[in-house]
Amino acid sequence: MRSLGILLGLLLVLVLVVWLLLRGSLAQLDGELLLPGLSAPVSLDRDANGMLTVQAANEADMARALGYVHAQERFFEMDLMRRAAAGELSELFGAAALPRDRAMRVHRLRARTHENLGVALGDKRKVIEAYREGVNAGLAALPVRPWPYLLLRQQPRPWELEDSVLTGLAMYADLQDTSNTRELALGRIREVVPPALYALISHDGSSWDAPLFGNARGDAVLPGADALDLRVAPPAQGDATAALSPPSASQRAPLSPARRERGLGGPPEAADYFPGSNNFAVSGTLTADGRAIIADDMHLTLRAPNIWFRARLRYAEPTAPDGNIDVTGFTLPGLPAVIVGSNTRVAWAFTNSYIDTADFAPLPADTPLREHVESITVAGQAPERLLVRESDWGPVLHDTPDGSLLALRWVGQLPGAVRLDFADMAKAADLDAAFAVADRSGIPAQNLLVGDRKGRIAWRLIGARPDRSPDCSHGIDTPTQAVPAMPATCSAWAIRSDQAPSLVDPPDHRLWTANGRVLDGPALAVAGNGGYDFGARARQIRDGLFARQQFTERDLLAIQLDDRALLMERWWKLLRQTVEHSSDPALQRLEAATRSWEGHASVDSVSYRLARGFRGILLDNLQAALLAPAQATLGDDFIAPNLPQLEGVAWPLLTERPVHLLPPPFKSWDALLAESAVQLEKDLTAQGADLTQRTWGERNTAAICHPVSRALPELFKRWLCMPRQALAGDGDMPRVVGPSFGASERMVVSPGHEADGIVHMPGGQSGHPLSPFWGAGHEDWVKGTPTPFLPGERVHTLRLSPR
């Protein structure tokens, strides 16, 4: 008994020590302290959700104070951002992070940032210097280093000027294809398949398109048997007589990450989706008092804490319209600026544009190259040395069989990719002033929506774009054709952010984007197609906007929360046609489970989940058949591309059912449908015999956790995760949500009427699980309960004074 008592006592001491260590890294919320470098006192107020209000004398003091708070609440997450861009995660996480570090280190973003720091900082150097000093002061003021470093047995390193630029580049890495893999994959496929087959694979739209310019592309026109016959495989490359055997089901082409796990099995990873967003707006013509209203949902991988940090920044600014700044919205820890929000005169919002931001160039084998040896520090083992070969075009990523090289030029590598002038959006007085800021903003290419206090709205392509010469642009007649490599005559392009396409004061008084195609014609030819998303989301938003003639903030929130399964209804009907009147027991079980159609991706819907799974299996089979000839010919050089527009090919195939395009080895289209349904039943029955219990919520269950939770035993993970709640919504509707992907923020706001604005934010403000702000506001995000855009009643006040 004495031994047991001693053991329990030691355990209690250990728990107390751990608790005290964790408490030691909590942010200070109240009181007074000195912050060197301030020109005047600053107040930091927090409401019950942890939303911060900074009241400062000037921009530099605001940045210093914001940096202090960002570091105290989020330093570890800031560290992950800079390391992700620079390829330095292995220093914290060991060899498991090496593949990602290698992929990013070839771009040498830290070295490039250091070389071009002046371009990035521009006239914001003093502001960024103040932010850096505030970050390091906030980190140093913690009695104990942030708790994740204790767990990883690491020490945080100070924040540098270049780290704020790397934070911006981390967003490039999240939002763009840093290796240009899609373009390379399509280029290789185009070289080895018949033109009619490539036209199907690269079809660039569907009847669901909802662009701002031009019309819907429509579904693909299927080729005749004389142009393409999938039942008779083409000859292998280099052998005009060789014939390829039709692939069996076990030889299906690998799926792209964005199309894996379409609704079967356990909770999917975020790879089931790809980064995107919704934004939409109505002008003052459609509101009772002439106000413009902007709505925004930025879709990213979800974590605890959230990537964004809510703040209201107030300070004197002589160049602002009335000498003061009052801007509210979402900041990104690592940068002293509101990324999306409202400044009482202008509100703005983003979605990822998916224009073409990278090009390969073919280089002769004897091209002079510069060599850099990058040392990647790896926790627990010796550093890894990575040789990076670099040309004037960019780093060499591939050696081709003929000895030539493929070098990649990507906007994120170039001077000006990140320029901190965008922070001046805080003082934009109207729509025209906002566009002037956009002209000099270095951010990942985005669809910018702006509304001003006069009730005007506008769309503009904002951010870094390739400034290609005319002979290097995408052909106007084939704007979506992948270019495997730029012609040798093309010069190495720079980037630009001015003279971008725009749509100001639209005649219908409505604007919307949702990562789909926005442009058409010559403008699209210049911008290019970087793999823009399927149009169902944009169409549902557009139709929601045209369903009313007058709007309030609540009406736009209702569109954001729209989980109607408009796309999936026809797949449910196809499933019903497949399973009705069947004598197969598996199909009979599906028939009994799908008799009612709820019409929503609601948590209790069985029919939605089954229809979604059926669609997923069919798309997998059709994609495999379309890619099989290229895979058989290319072998190890084959890369499965992401095909976001596959719906526009699949639906004509399944409705017209041409025999010559039937995927081998199926004997008929009815057989394809039946076997796909049987596979669906098998996969779902493995999770439980009663299919009526296979709800969408069972599969779409939140898995929103702190990044270090993966290193912990299952027993302890729950302390670092948001509750495992069933989530309504899905990818092809406005309410985008998956287990660890979805709206990282929601915002509905009218400039000048911020008190009526609405926000949602998952995951909470603080990165500390003992903080009162860990998960604060998350429940409102899950349920769609409106949270006020402006800060609530002050709960905590911290006053910072200069020495």
Side-chain angles (χ1 to χ4, degrees):
M1 288 295 293
R2 182 177 179 181
S3 298
L4 179 59
I6 293 173
L7 183 61
L8 289 174
L10 291 174
L11 182 61
L12 287 174
V13 170
L14 177 61
V15 169
L16 179 63
V17 169
V18 170
W19 184 81
L20 289 173
L21 286 173
L22 288 175
R23 292 279 304 173
S25 59
L26 278 168
Q28 182 174 344
L29 305 180
D30 296 287
E32 298 185 5
L33 56 84
L34 298 178
L35 182 58
L38 290 177
S39 67
V42 176
S43 67
L44 302 174
D45 298 330
R46 289 173 167 92
D47 68 6
N49 283 329
M51 184 178 178
L52 177 72
T53 298
V54 180
Q55 186 73 52
N58 52 57
E59 186 178 17
D61 282 359
M62 176 279 295
R64 190 180 301 271
L66 183 63
Y68 188 94
V69 175
H70 277 169
Q72 292 231 315
E73 297 282 17
R74 297 285 196 86
F75 187 83
F76 179 74
E77 292 73 31
M78 294 166 61
D79 192 10
L80 294 186
M81 292 285 283
R82 64 177 173 178
R83 288 177 180 274
E88 298 168 350
L89 290 169
S90 299
E91 185 175 359
L92 288 180
F93 298 108
L98 272 172
R100 179 166 181 173
D101 279 354
R102 294 184 192 114
M104 289 306 299
R105 193 64 73 91
V106 296
H107 300 295
R108 301 181 59 249
L109 293 184
R110 183 173 288 281
R112 293 177 189 274
T113 297
H114 185 75
E115 293 167 6
N116 300 297
L117 191 58
V119 177
L121 300 186
D123 63 3
K124 296 293 182 184
R125 177 178 283 272
K126 290 186 178 179
V127 174
I128 301 303
E129 287 175 345
Y131 182 78
R132 173 196 61 187
E133 292 163 10
V135 168
N136 290 328
L139 178 64
L142 294 173
V144 178
R145 65 187 185 268
W147 66 269
Y149 295 102
L150 298 174
L151 185 66
L152 296 171
R153 293 178 295 174
Q154 299 281 353
Q155 291 288 338
R157 69 181 188 217
W159 194 258
E160 303 291 345
L161 288 183
E162 63 199 40
D163 292 333
S164 287
V165 181
L166 287 168
T167 299
L169 289 170
M171 296 307 297
Y172 271 88
D174 276 352
L175 297 171
Q176 297 181 0
D177 182 356
T178 60
S179 300
N180 207 24
T181 303
R182 178 181 178 274
E183 192 165 283
L184 180 66
L186 289 174
R188 289 178 177 176
I189 290 170
R190 186 176 60 178
E191 292 174 356
V192 299
V193 302
L197 177 54
Y198 185 76
L200 290 179
I201 292 170
S202 62
H203 185 68
D204 68 324
S206 73
S207 57
W208 293 83
D209 294 346
L212 292 180
F213 297 86
N215 299 315
R217 284 280 188 265
D219 293 338
V221 176
L222 302 181
D226 56 337
L228 178 65
D229 190 342
L230 293 179
R231 311 295 289 185
V232 179
Q237 188 178 32
D239 183 352
T241 62
L244 297 175
S245 301
S248 67
S250 63
Q251 295 173 320
R252 292 172 184 164
L255 299 176
S256 62
R259 290 296 175 184
R260 291 180 188 144
E261 219 295 275
R262 297 176 186 270
L264 310 175
E269 297 299 324
D272 196 26
Y273 306 85
F274 61 103
S277 301
N278 305 327
N279 63 11
F280 45 100
V282 293
S283 77
T285 303
L286 301 179
T287 61
D289 57 3
R291 68 177 70 181
I293 309 177
I294 300 288
D296 188 51
D297 310 47
M298 293 192 287
H299 306 146
L300 296 168
T301 299
L302 302 179
R303 69 182 192 198
N306 186 37
I307 186 173
W308 310 111
F309 188 89
R310 292 183 61 204
R312 183 179 191 178
L313 310 177
R314 308 179 76 179
Y315 54 93
E317 172 52 57
T319 62
D322 64 357
N324 291 286
I325 297 292
D326 184 358
V327 59
T328 304
F330 295 85
T331 68
L332 178 64
L335 290 167
V338 168
I339 306 303
V340 295
S342 181
N343 68 8
T344 76
R345 297 173 180 84
V346 168
W348 67 95
F350 294 131
T351 69
N352 199 25
S353 68
Y354 284 98
I355 67 169
D356 185 2
T357 58
D359 292 313
F360 282 109
L363 304 176
D366 59 355
T367 300
L369 300 174
R370 299 178 294 277
E371 293 188 347
H372 304 274
V373 177
E374 294 284 312
S375 180
I376 303 177
T377 303
V378 185
Q381 65 183 59
E384 178 176 294
R385 292 164 62 84
L386 179 69
L387 177 64
V388 178
R389 298 172 296 162
E390 202 166 81
S391 69
D392 290 340
W393 185 269
V396 174
L397 265 59
H398 301 279
D399 294 80
T400 64
D402 64 5
S404 63
L405 311 171
L406 277 182
L408 180 67
R409 195 167 190 80
W410 168 51
V411 295
Q413 302 163 346
L414 303 181
V418 172
R419 290 205 310 268
L420 299 178
D421 308 77
F422 177 75
D424 286 339
M425 194 69 81
K427 61 183 180 182
D430 55 23
L431 190 151
D432 295 329
F435 271 26
V437 174
D439 274 341
R440 50 191 172 83
S441 292
I443 64 173
Q446 300 284 293
N447 294 301
L448 168 69
L449 287 194
V450 179
D452 71 13
R453 201 164 185 169
K454 300 173 186 176
R456 301 177 67 198
I457 60 173
W459 165 86
R460 187 188 188 279
L461 192 61
I462 184 177
R465 319 185 318 271
D467 190 14
R468 300 180 177 96
S469 59
D471 60 323
C472 300
S473 295
H474 301 268
I476 291 175
D477 293 333
T478 54
T480 62
Q481 297 293 300
V483 180
M486 300 302 285
T489 56
C490 292
S491 58
W493 41 258
I495 58 177
R496 69 184 307 169
S497 57
D498 62 337
Q499 298 183 23
S502 63
L503 177 57
V504 181
D505 297 325
D508 290 323
H509 312 295
R510 299 162 174 88
L511 289 169
W512 62 92
T513 78
N515 313 118
R517 178 175 61 85
V518 172
L519 297 165
D520 204 3
L524 176 59
V526 172
N529 175 7
Y532 47 73
D533 199 10
F534 177 50
R537 246 189 317 131
R539 175 171 146 179
Q540 199 159 328
I541 292 168
R542 179 201 66 187
D543 293 351
L545 291 173
F546 279 94
R548 300 178 62 93
Q549 295 303 312
Q550 194 169 91
F551 294 87
T552 66
E553 284 83 351
R554 294 291 183 114
D555 296 324
L556 268 64
L557 176 65
I559 296 176
Q560 291 176 308
L561 298 176
D562 181 7
D563 62 8
R564 289 175 301 145
L566 303 186
L567 169 70
M568 211 59 64
E569 183 173 5
R570 67 184 187 181
W571 291 91
W572 170 74
K573 291 179 180 177
L574 183 62
L575 175 59
R576 290 294 300 166
Q577 293 169 11
T578 302
V579 299
E580 285 179 324
H581 313 302
S582 174
S583 59
D584 186 312
L587 300 190
Q588 289 177 343
R589 287 189 287 272
L590 283 175
E591 191 279 329
T594 58
R595 289 174 185 168
S596 63
W597 173 243
E598 292 87 357
H600 291 257
S602 54
V603 296
D604 58 352
S605 177
V606 173
S607 62
Y608 178 80
R609 184 179 182 183
L610 270 59
R612 187 187 194 273
F614 183 59
R615 174 180 182 260
I617 293 171
L618 282 168
L619 290 183
D620 289 352
N621 281 317
L622 295 173
Q623 178 172 299
L626 294 173
L627 296 179
Q631 183 184 22
T633 304
L634 291 168
D636 291 342
D637 290 330
F638 173 80
I639 304 170
N642 180 31
L643 301 179
Q645 309 299 330
L646 185 60
E647 177 88 16
V649 178
W651 197 251
L653 286 171
L654 292 169
T655 52
E656 298 177 31
R657 303 189 182 188
V659 174
H660 61 285
L661 299 180
L662 173 65
F666 299 102
K667 295 183 185 203
S668 69
W669 286 98
D670 285 340
L672 168 63
L673 292 167
E675 290 183 41
S676 297
V678 168
Q679 184 61 52
L680 170 70
E681 192 274 341
K682 178 181 177 182
D683 291 339
L684 292 177
T685 301
Q687 301 169 55
D690 185 357
L691 292 184
T692 64
Q693 300 302 308
R694 305 284 73 77
T695 64
W696 177 235
E698 177 188 53
R699 188 264 188 182
N700 205 40
T701 300
I704 303 171
C705 299
H706 193 280
V708 303
S709 65
R710 298 178 186 178
L712 296 178
E714 199 65 37
L715 177 65
F716 300 103
K717 282 186 179 181
R718 68 186 184 93
W719 299 105
L720 297 179
C721 297
M722 295 297 102
R724 288 186 53 80
Q725 295 163 294
L727 303 173
D730 198 7
D732 288 319
M733 58 191 61
R735 190 170 189 168
V736 172
V737 65
S740 56
F741 185 88
S744 60
E745 55 81 43
R746 290 193 192 100
M747 174 184 78
V748 188
V749 66
S750 171
H753 303 274
E754 285 79 6
D756 299 323
I758 300 166
V759 296
H760 289 143
M761 193 176 84
Q765 285 271 87
S766 177
H768 201 301
L770 297 184
S771 168
F773 311 132
W774 171 264
H778 179 81
E779 188 71 11
D780 288 344
W781 174 84
V782 172
K783 294 181 177 178
T785 306
T787 301
F789 178 78
L790 291 178
E793 182 179 349
R794 180 177 59 198
V795 176
H796 300 278
T797 298
L798 179 64
R799 302 192 186 280
L800 308 178
S801 300
R803 285 192 185 276

